[in-house]
Amino acid sequence: MRKLTRKIYVGDVAIGGDSPISIQSMTTYQTSDIDKVVDQINALENLGCDISRSAINTVEDAKAISQIKKRTNIPFVADIQFDYKLALLAVENGCDALRINPGNIGSKDKVIEVVNKCKEKNIPIRIGVNSGSVHKSMIEKYHGVNVDSLVYSAIEEVKTLEELDFFDIIISVKSSDVNTMIDSYRKLSSLVDYPLHLGVTEAGPLYTALVKSSIGLGSLLKDGIGDTIRVSITGDPLEEIKAGKAILKALGLRRDGIDLISCPTCSRTTVDLPKIAQEVERKIAGINKNLKVAIMGCPVNGPGEAKEADYGIACAKGYGFLFKKGKTIRKVDEDKIVDELIGTIMKDCSDEN
Ligand code: SF4
């Protein structure tokens, strides 16, 4: 059962309550490099990203937000580390949320100024405590970077905002250690009803990141904890969206996007199935339909093993059987397997529209 958290809006995307779990990613170019950032955000959106975030390091970055917003559709989160003036400028330039920790801003006056600006523009703040940014006082109090010091650092930040009558808050307590991350979010979830942004921080390159994030995010989401996610990957942020969609899809938490299943291959396989599966995966990445597609290595067990699928292909030497809802619809040559499968799906999708 999903934990019912407070519903907060980042632009027009609801986070928390009964809203769908949203997927976020972060741009990798200097935010002032407007054309590149716009292209990256639009590519992220095309793959299914709900919210984008960009680091704001300079005045030029903050001023770029208004231009970026004009050429993109999804909400824009400004990620600020210490400089409250950049936070104010980012809000003035139309960001849809701030990712900032009040404890990093400095004096109380500065925090009040930022909070008042967010209230005026009706935008939320995400508090994000990472294993690398736990408060010194909490490290001393709880004897190191651990679940308690992470969670209570975040709670301290929350209290600072609550004392200023600000409650549009989203929280993350990311750790690069998966067990610490899971336990921290579990503890935090038992203490607050604000929506939680889940992530394993510094999760590593693709393969490692996928494993860590699937375990970390998957365990929490399965327990009903978490309202928005980011799969952190060292590499192309587009991979983060594919991974996020795959995690949510595997848990039945996201309806759009194709669920691809493929067999592990065995001595019955007579085609280059990994190549076919990868090509299909690449070509269906942008199809936002709730479908299951199966790529199977033989015509003996293939259709049977994938009979739950909406579409599939069971490959044999030199050809494949294209099937739909478990029934064969035609036989296609091996070199046309991918095109015929994708073509059939696309045609059916366009006939429905
Ligand atoms: Fe082997 Fe066929 Fe099963 Fe694939 S579907 S693992 S080729 S038996």
Side-chain angles (χ1 to χ4, degrees):
M1 169 95 70
R2 180 158 172 208
K3 168 160 176 176
L4 207 59
T5 52
R6 210 180 267 248
K7 194 181 279 189
I8 306 277
Y9 282 87
V10 176
D12 58 358
V13 175
I15 297 180
D18 59 355
S19 328
I21 313 281
S22 48
I23 299 176
Q24 310 201 16
S25 185
M26 204 165 168
T27 57
T28 51
Y29 300 105
Q30 295 296 326
T31 306
S32 55
D33 199 340
I34 295 172
D35 288 343
K36 283 186 179 164
V37 172
V38 164
D39 286 349
Q40 197 167 41
I41 291 175
N42 288 334
L44 288 167
E45 186 200 0
N46 283 341
L47 266 189
C49 178
D50 301 298
I51 297 168
S52 74
R53 176 161 56 109
S54 298
I56 305 300
N57 300 316
T58 63
V59 168
E60 289 69 36
D61 286 345
K63 286 184 176 168
I65 296 171
S66 57
Q67 297 302 312
I68 294 167
K69 288 278 300 169
K70 280 184 196 148
R71 295 165 56 193
T72 54
N73 303 309
I74 54 177
F76 181 103
V77 180
D79 191 299
I80 314 279
Q81 279 194 312
F82 304 107
D83 190 338
Y84 85 108
K85 285 192 177 156
L86 289 181
L88 296 174
L89 202 55
V91 179
E92 280 295 338
N93 277 275
C95 71
D96 297 290
L98 282 182
R99 191 275 195 186
I100 191 167
N101 291 341
N104 291 344
I105 297 178
S107 70
K108 183 112 188 224
D109 287 356
K110 294 174 182 171
V111 177
I112 291 172
E113 228 181 304
V114 171
V115 166
N116 284 345
K117 184 60 81 179
C118 289
K119 280 185 190 170
E120 181 194 320
K121 301 284 183 184
N122 201 21
I123 67 163
I125 292 177
R126 170 159 73 89
I127 285 166
V129 177
N130 288 356
S131 41
S133 64
V134 178
H135 295 182
K136 202 161 165 258
S137 61
M138 293 295 167
I139 295 176
E140 281 164 13
K141 185 171 178 185
Y142 293 104
H143 311 292
V145 175
N146 50 40
V147 171
D148 284 332
S149 56
L150 264 167
V151 170
Y152 288 109
S153 287
I155 297 277
E156 197 171 80
E157 301 281 8
V158 169
K159 280 186 183 155
T160 303
L161 296 182
E162 287 178 338
E163 280 163 11
L164 298 171
D165 281 327
F166 190 86
F167 305 97
D168 273 353
I169 301 168
I170 300 158
I171 316 173
S172 62
V173 279
K174 299 183 183 180
S175 170
S176 52
D177 178 82
V178 176
N179 286 315
T180 305
M181 176 263 181
I182 292 171
D183 293 343
S184 298
Y185 276 104
R186 282 193 177 137
K187 179 154 193 163
L188 183 63
S189 174
S190 71
L191 296 172
V192 299
D193 70 349
Y194 292 109
L196 301 186
H197 166 121
L198 303 185
V200 176
T201 192
E202 293 124 25
L206 187 61
Y207 188 71
T208 314
L210 290 180
V211 173
K212 286 184 182 175
S213 297
S214 300
I215 296 169
L217 274 58
S219 304
L220 291 162
L221 291 166
K222 185 66 191 157
D223 285 352
I225 297 171
D227 303 284
T228 183
I229 63 169
R230 182 198 178 188
V231 179
S232 166
I233 297 172
T234 307
D236 188 343
L238 296 182
E239 299 295 336
E240 299 189 348
I241 305 307
K242 289 187 212 162
K245 280 167 74 177
I247 290 171
L248 295 183
K249 196 80 189 163
L251 290 166
L253 294 171
R254 188 157 177 139
R255 299 209 178 281
D256 60 328
I258 290 178
D259 182 15
L260 182 65
I261 57 174
S262 58
C263 82
T265 74
C266 69
S267 57
R268 295 188 188 95
T269 317
T270 51
V271 295
D272 187 351
L273 202 71
K275 185 169 167 240
I276 291 172
Q278 278 166 20
E279 215 175 316
V280 171
E281 185 178 49
R282 189 172 53 78
K283 291 193 171 177
I284 61 172
I287 303 176
N288 280 330
K289 286 278 177 185
N290 183 24
L291 295 172
K292 188 177 272 193
V293 174
I295 311 292
M296 310 307 282
C298 77
V300 181
N301 292 340
E305 286 181 22
K307 64 176 179 297
E308 309 281 300
D310 296 290
Y311 297 90
I313 197 90
C315 302
K317 198 170 178 56
Y319 59 90
F321 292 104
L322 184 61
F323 57 93
K324 191 170 156 181
K325 303 256 183 225
K327 288 198 175 129
T328 304
I329 52 172
R330 64 182 175 274
K331 188 175 163 185
V332 296
D333 291 341
E334 184 178 338
D335 60 351
K336 300 215 171 57
I337 283 175
V338 175
D339 288 345
E340 289 277 342
L341 175 64
I342 300 294
T344 304
I345 296 170
M346 299 290 273
K347 183 176 179 308
D348 287 359
C349 289
S350 66
D351 286 351
E352 272 174 31
N353 294 334

